[in-house]
Amino acid sequence: MKYVRDIYAARKGSGRPLVSFELFPAKTEEGEKTLLERTIPALLKLRPDFCSVTYGAGGGTRDRTLAAVERIQNQYGVPMLCHVTCVNATVEQTSAVVEDAVRRGISNFLALRGDPPGAGEFQKTPGGFEFASELAASLRARGGLCVGVAGFPEGHMACKAGKYADWQYLKRKIDAGGDFVLTQLFYDNAFFLEFYEYLNAKLGVTVPVSPGVLPLFSFAQIGHITKLCGARLPDALVKRLAELEGKDEALAAFGVEYATRQCEELLKAGVPGLHLYTLNKARYVSQVVRNLGLA
Ligand code: FAD
């Protein structure tokens, strides 16, 4: 299977950004059927450059993540990126997951620390990795793999030393083994543009950094997402969302329009790709990609 870093390299300078979709492994058989028979085929009509599958909180979806990546890769031939975390696992257990994935033909990994299930603070497992940079380094040392890492345009929530310290840790993570960066979602491009400039101009980052974008489509989702990842909503967006309270269809249409405008501005800034969070729904991200003329 193609390495994601080679897809970025082949596209460099072409003016055509990569489009990638993030999915999560279905929890039920019915959910898996929908994912494989409806969501994925709908997303593949847009010819994404790669898709990724998350690894559940606390490492809880190990088997379902690997199975989903393997099945989508084999059934549809689309390059796949497998998220892997080191929370709640020893180094040996994490390596065993990676080797299992490699046996299944998986060669692209997003090296993450992961969060424990629930709201608790991360605790290093005795004999485990403390930071994603250590996992990235071990994947690089293994060889034969392509490794992505996560970036946080607003700074990582748990980084008490602030966003600039977090961005310096990101640079170390890239140097340790990251071939490319996918970012946390955000709703104010100013955060990403400062982060991008800082990485490129101040820290000398040269690997591709693709922004993560999630079109808003439900009020329940907004509260959950912002709490989970700490994304701050600009005042104008909060005001508009208040006007749309109770109007679900109008909210989804606005979410698509907002994400389209966000992506247009990011593309103008020269980002190498767009990483679209789907929440396993093809409809909204498809509309964004079509609006951008990238389908
Ligand atoms: P790290 O890079 O290890 O950073 C964790 C914290 O440690 C940060 O606060 C950082 O500033 C700090 N830090 C890093 N290095 C050092 C150091 N040397 N010294 C001191 N402090 C340091 N989670 C999942 O559970 N499953 C997923 O599939 C998943 N997918 C994701 C995909 C994307 C694109 C993104 C952006 C996030 C994803 N996450 C996922 C969430 C992620 O696991 C959490 O945000 C986690 O808390 C941080 O992961 P990390 O890989 O950035 O960790």
Side-chain angles (χ1 to χ4, degrees):
M1 193 40 73
K2 269 189 198 162
Y3 288 138
V4 168
R5 63 166 174 260
D6 292 342
I7 307 176
Y8 274 112
R11 199 62 67 72
K12 200 173 174 187
S14 71
R16 276 200 312 130
L18 266 72
V19 172
S20 52
F21 295 126
E22 182 167 313
L23 302 151
F24 59 82
K27 292 187 185 76
T28 59
E29 259 179 49
E30 200 190 326
E32 181 165 326
K33 199 163 156 14
T34 308
L35 179 66
L36 288 169
E37 293 176 11
R38 292 178 53 189
T39 311
I40 303 280
L43 290 172
L44 293 189
K45 281 193 190 144
L46 305 160
R47 313 220 16 202
D49 294 285
F50 67 93
C51 294
S52 82
V53 179
T54 62
Y55 198 84
T61 62
R62 173 207 153 131
D63 292 332
R64 283 189 280 125
T65 299
L66 265 53
V69 172
E70 184 183 13
R71 283 192 70 174
I72 300 168
Q73 189 166 275
N74 291 345
Q75 201 166 326
Y76 297 102
V78 62
M80 293 298 295
L81 171 68
C82 183
H83 297 208
V84 63
T85 68
C86 40
V87 62
N88 281 354
T90 61
V91 170
E92 271 160 31
Q93 287 166 333
T94 307
S95 304
V97 172
V98 171
E99 292 311 323
D100 184 2
V102 171
R103 277 192 295 277
R104 296 168 188 244
I106 298 166
S107 48
N108 295 302
F109 293 91
L110 190 66
L112 298 148
R113 190 194 69 179
D115 290 317
E121 263 190 37
F122 172 83
Q123 300 287 341
K124 176 182 180 302
T125 297
F129 292 124
E130 184 167 9
F131 299 114
S133 54
E134 298 165 59
L135 174 58
S138 96
L139 295 176
R140 175 175 278 183
R142 183 201 179 279
L145 306 174
C146 171
V147 184
V149 293
F152 296 81
E154 299 182 52
H156 186 257
M157 283 203 296
C159 188
K160 296 195 177 72
K163 67 182 182 184
Y164 299 107
D166 182 54
W167 298 348
Q168 279 157 28
Y169 294 136
L170 170 58
K171 166 74 165 112
R172 286 198 216 164
K173 187 160 61 173
I174 295 166
D175 292 343
D179 292 311
F180 62 94
V181 179
L182 301 179
T183 83
Q184 186 57 278
L185 57 92
F186 54 91
Y187 290 98
D188 186 339
N189 279 354
F191 293 127
F192 178 85
L193 296 173
E194 189 200 349
F195 164 80
Y196 197 54
E197 166 76 12
Y198 193 90
L199 291 188
N200 291 312
K202 283 233 164 59
L203 300 179
V205 167
T206 54
V207 300
V209 179
S210 288
V213 175
L214 168 66
L216 295 168
F217 58 83
S218 94
F219 281 97
Q221 166 221 23
I222 295 167
H224 180 65
I225 295 288
T226 51
K227 197 168 151 219
L228 200 71
C229 69
R232 281 177 286 166
L233 306 182
D235 292 344
L237 176 59
V238 173
K239 191 163 166 264
R240 185 71 189 118
L241 292 176
E243 291 163 4
L244 293 169
E245 186 87 54
K247 302 173 193 160
D248 289 353
E249 277 300 309
L251 170 68
F254 170 75
V256 166
E257 185 198 312
Y258 192 89
T260 303
R261 277 191 272 115
Q262 246 196 304
C263 291
E264 280 169 352
E265 197 184 356
L266 295 165
L267 291 172
K268 271 196 203 130
V271 297
L274 297 168
H275 184 62
L276 295 162
Y277 290 89
T278 69
L279 298 187
N280 286 9
K281 293 187 192 311
R283 182 174 158 197
Y284 308 111
V285 292
S286 300
Q287 287 170 357
V288 172
V289 172
R290 290 207 168 92
N291 288 348
L292 294 168
L294 295 175

